[in-house]
Amino acid sequence: FVENYVNNELPYETNPNIKASVYGVDVMKVTDDVYAFHFRMRREIYGLVTEAGWPVMTGQSAFYAEMATVEMIETDKIDVMYCQQLTADVEKTSEAITEIISLEAAIDMVSKEIGVNSSYIVEDVELAYDKKGVEGKAKGIPVWRFTVNNEKSEYSMIFSVDVQTGEVKYREL
């Protein structure tokens, strides 16, 4: 219901190349028979998801993320929706990418970055956009994105491999 409403039933025109997708739901018990739902959402631009979360600075570089939420108490009746940019202009600034680094090659690059002394459990792999600030605008960089958990400690990491250059970036979640 939430994705359908946000993508198809808003009372204003949205960009057809930008869609919203739910990536997590929190359910909170209000009373014995009433529950509240908090939907975590992110954008899909031309079919690739963007990074979800709040913008942060890490040791490696600035990280531009986005997050939107939809909240409702009664089923199929949205109470609050905020931070979803579905009307934004999206400009294609380069030619179509016809060849990318394979997933297998990206796994090898991340493995080399991690080294032999660490071990991670892969939770998620996706072809997505990382956002980079360029001249006051955000530029989408197509990446292989790996969400991983360290087996020895309890922290999670995101590794991104640029599908064209093979540059590996990482940060803690």
Side-chain angles (χ1 to χ4, degrees), residues 26-37:
D26 299 314
V27 179
M28 296 152 278
K29 187 173 184 177
V30 177
T31 65
D32 284 342
D33 58 345
V34 176
Y35 292 86
F37 304 92

Side-chain angles (χ1 to χ4, degrees), residues 87-160:
T87 59
D89 288 332
V90 177
E91 180 182 343
K92 289 185 180 181
T93 58
S94 65
E95 296 297 318
I97 299 169
T98 57
E99 291 185 33
I100 65 171
I101 292 170
S102 70
L103 178 57
E104 292 78 16
I107 291 169
D108 288 342
M109 292 171 185
V110 169
S111 295
K112 288 177 186 168
E113 189 73 37
I114 291 171
V116 295
N117 295 327
S118 295
S119 180
Y120 290 86
I121 297 170
V122 177
E123 297 292 331
D124 190 33
V125 177
E126 58 190 352
L127 186 59
Y129 284 120
D130 275 357
K131 289 169 56 178
K132 178 180 179 182
V134 178
E135 298 174 6
K137 294 182 179 182
K139 178 181 180 184
I141 309 295
V143 296
W144 286 111
R145 184 178 303 129
F146 301 85
T147 304
V148 300
N149 293 315
N150 188 296
E151 287 186 324
K152 293 181 182 173
S153 63
E154 294 189 16
Y155 69 90
S156 297
M157 303 275 296
I158 297 271
F159 286 89
S160 294

